Amino acid sequence: MKFGKEFAAQMVQEWQEAYMNYNHLKTILKDVLRFRTLRGAPSTVAAATSHVSLKRRVSLYRAFSGLTGRCRGSPRKSEDEVILVSAVQESGGDEHYQTLFLNASDEGGEYELVFFRRLDDEFNKVINFYKKKVEEVMGEADDLSKQMDALIALRIRVDDPVVGGSNIANLAVPGFSSVSASAVHPPINSTNPGWSRMEVIQEVEMSAEANSEDSNKGTINENSNTQRKTNGYKKNMKTFRPASLEVLDHVKINVEPETPVSTVKNVISSSKSDLSYSKEELRKAEELMTHAFVEFYGKLRLLKSYCFLNQLAFSKIMKKYDKITMRNASKSYLNMVDDSYLGSSDEVTKLMERVEATFIKHFSNGNHRKGMNTLRPKPKKDRHRITFSMGFFTGCSAALLIALVVLIHARDILNSEGGPNYMDSIFPLYSLFGFVVLHMLMYAANIYFWKRYRINYAFIFGFKQGTELGYREVLLLASGLSVLALGGVLSNLDMEMDPRTKSFTAITELIPLALITLVLVIIFCPFNIIYRSSRYFLIQCALHCLFAPLYKVTLPDFFLADQLTSQVQALRDLEFYICYYGWGDFTTRTNTCSGSKVFESFYFVVALIPYWFRFLQCLRRLFEEKDSGQAYNGLKYFLIIIAVAARTAYDLRTASDLRTASDLRSGMTLKIFAAATSGAATIMATYWDIVVDWGLLQRDSRNPWLRDKLVIPNRSVYFVAMVLNVVLRLAWMQTVLGFRQTPFLHRKALTAIVACLEIIRRGIWNFFRLENEHLNNVGKYRAFKSVPLPFYYEDKRV
């Protein structure tokens, strides 16, 4: 693989604009090579430099070295005097690097001059971004240090309230200085017998003060009695601070998980409560701190990778420059890179070492392997058996589908005497699985294209590293479910009752109920099988939707609610399951659902529930974020609720007989109202999809009528997606437009087709919605999510 592709593949996608633009610099070098090829480049460096006199070089050197007297030190002079590099101090205190190209008067030298100017711009961009991020992590390290002080003090207090209430000086150990003693205890869930009840060990200082103190003294405090061993390696502790129990007097704790009850309490009173010094409180605090350390360590790893990749990119591009121009400028420039903050700073490495030592000691009982496995979760590996199983079930599904089509055509089932009854009673039971499988196929396609265009969907959804499902896993689940559903359909194609019993076979009629029961059992299965973490994540998001205003709304929550708005027909089929098997006679395929007032009432409610969830989520976000856009979004869903209610009422009314003139007039009035509200809702929802959710139709963007940044190179894809979204949005108006039944399709089949079109539209919407979210993260360099910390310092001076 070429370095350019490898460089792009290893980037932190949310920081991609902060990396050195290797491809652009490479393009400039191609222009240099093209010019030198056409003009005939000198064969040696000496020939290339013979055009510039020694007098001119000396004058250029003096001019460069006298830049307002602001340069840090003297400029570096390369061996062949091709370039001069210097760090210039700006008025704001920042510094930027400049490169003076001494051979600018050579033929074609203007191309090389452009190259070095662009190279300096890229280097200054990289180093400024790196400094900013290092300052951020140093501040976060200081916050984590204060959190650890509170956690250690809480451990002491929980472990022994009597000692915890006494003077901290009593915990000092002979041989420890007053500033290097720290009482630390094992995690509350520790089972290691090597830990004594009040064992006293050293505590690693994680604050920024440790860095400055180390750099000023340049020494390491060694103590033979307190030297730490972790699986065969030893580390000398550098700076220590006692964990004073007085810190507990200045902190509050917030470890209670968010629940509907806690949300109501937080509205009434503050969410931060006083410490109760219970073991449960300590356990929750340790869980939050573990998560915080893992996220912080992940940020340090990416920052270190950012530094290394950019240094490697500058090395590669300078060596390419030397090769093309036959000069020797790379040594001088790369020496400057090595001496700069990017190459010489070691704050990130030191922080990583401190985090490792602290986490291993306090959260994994000194077990180095366990601690590092937690800090560095292993990436997910593709397994061949998943690919094989996916192919096997996909082949079985295709074979069953072909067999089903052939059997229906050969036996002319749909035109048989029991065909209409089958479509009214059995078809809705199996169409539910069809809707779910189609949605899973669209989601698998989304994952495939998100990965192809490097959209970090796992970060956007908040999946734990290594637990996110790939498109192969989703296809495996979809194909497995389709095999079960198609097998059930084939075994349930009887059109005539047994003449002796005047009923259908009970076992085959119970197959749909058995399938839906099996799916629910798998979803709620507590055992670690069939992607338990993903199932629990789905259940958690579903609960957040169910209690929408009482949970903080995150992207996975409202994303799932949006998916449910496209599965209204599936929810109605689920309602039909309950009615058919609960109050109908499944052995004779008869039911009273269509004539039941209770069923019609729930028919209304089920259709409105997903939109109601989204409406409440918009209200919660409006209350928390004070974003006026959420008010307009909530208005959109409220309008959709009115439109869906009107269309459902019209659908139910036209399904019954309209005999009198008043019934006809009221039916026409309802149709006009349903058409008007549906049209208004369609226009507003389409506008919101394209302009707000996708971020398109920007007139003054670099890509006319699209947006400035696009992940798909072919711009026509976006215009096709917009047209499809509009066309498929109109499909849901088929009820009020009069296309409720066709001569060649049963009404249930037409409803299923319209529902499938809406699912396809949702799949298209999913890709561009996450693309826009990803580009927003890239624009804000947002590569990490905020992690809640357990302790809150009331006095910021503590």
Side-chain angles (χ1 to χ4, degrees), residues 118-132:
R118 185 57 180 164
L119 186 66
D120 289 341
D121 292 340
E122 292 297 322
F123 183 73
N124 289 320
K125 177 187 72 174
V126 168
I127 201 170
N128 290 334
F129 179 83
Y130 185 68
K131 282 183 179 179
K132 179 182 176 182

Side-chain angles (χ1 to χ4, degrees), residues 138-149:
M138 295 300 291
E140 293 178 17
D142 188 54
D143 292 338
L144 280 179
S145 175
K146 294 179 180 179
Q147 294 286 322
M148 281 301 300
D149 289 342

Side-chain angles (χ1 to χ4, degrees), residues 687-733:
Y687 172 83
W688 198 273
D689 286 345
I690 297 175
V691 177
V692 180
D693 290 339
W694 294 0
L696 302 177
L697 289 183
Q698 298 180 12
R699 181 185 303 178
D700 300 327
S701 65
R702 291 200 298 263
N703 302 292
W705 296 105
L706 296 177
R707 64 169 105 86
D708 290 338
K709 300 176 184 177
L710 304 173
V711 300
I712 302 178
N714 190 354
R715 292 184 296 178
S716 61
V717 173
Y718 294 90
F719 292 103
V720 172
M722 286 190 284
V723 173
L724 283 176
N725 187 77
V726 173
V727 173
L728 295 177
R729 273 283 185 187
L730 295 175
W732 78 327
M733 294 185 64

Side-chain angles (χ1 to χ4, degrees), residues 343-371:
S344 61
S345 172
D346 61 348
E347 285 93 341
V348 174
T349 302
K350 289 182 177 180
L351 271 180
M352 292 181 69
E353 293 175 354
R354 290 195 180 108
V355 170
E356 291 172 3
T358 302
F359 189 85
I360 290 170
K361 176 166 41 176
H362 297 293
F363 297 96
S364 59
N365 292 346
N367 189 326
H368 180 263
R369 178 178 297 179
K370 178 182 177 182

Side-chain angles (χ1 to χ4, degrees), residues 575-588:
E575 177 198 2
F576 183 75
Y577 262 93
I578 300 174
C579 179
Y580 182 74
Y581 285 103
W583 289 272
D585 185 3
F586 62 88
T587 59
T588 59

Side-chain angles (χ1 to χ4, degrees), residues 431-443 446 562-571 573 725 728-729 731-732 751-767:
S431 62
L432 169 63
F433 298 100
F435 299 145
V436 174
V437 169
L438 178 60
H439 212 136
M440 295 175 71
L441 293 176
M442 295 302 299
Y443 181 62
N446 289 149
D562 281 325
Q563 308 309 304
L564 293 178
T565 60
S566 297
Q567 287 286 5
V568 170
Q569 190 57 42
L571 296 176
D573 289 343
N725 187 77
L728 295 177
R729 273 283 185 187
W732 78 327
T751 303
I753 291 175
V754 172
C756 290
L757 292 177
E758 170 59 21
I759 294 172
I760 294 172
R761 188 201 66 81
R762 180 60 62 184
I764 298 173
W765 180 89
N766 289 344
F767 175 83

Side-chain angles (χ1 to χ4, degrees), residues 537-592:
F537 186 84
L538 177 64
I539 295 172
Q540 182 184 31
C541 292
L543 289 176
H544 290 181
C545 292
L546 186 62
F547 300 98
L550 301 179
Y551 281 102
K552 180 180 177 61
V553 181
T554 59
L555 188 141
D557 299 336
F558 70 74
F559 192 85
L560 177 61
D562 281 325
Q563 308 309 304
L564 293 178
T565 60
S566 297
Q567 287 286 5
V568 170
Q569 190 57 42
L571 296 176
R572 284 174 170 172
D573 289 343
L574 194 60
E575 177 198 2
F576 183 75
Y577 262 93
I578 300 174
C579 179
Y580 182 74
Y581 285 103
W583 289 272
D585 185 3
F586 62 88
T587 59
T588 59
R589 295 182 182 174
T590 58
N591 64 85
T592 58

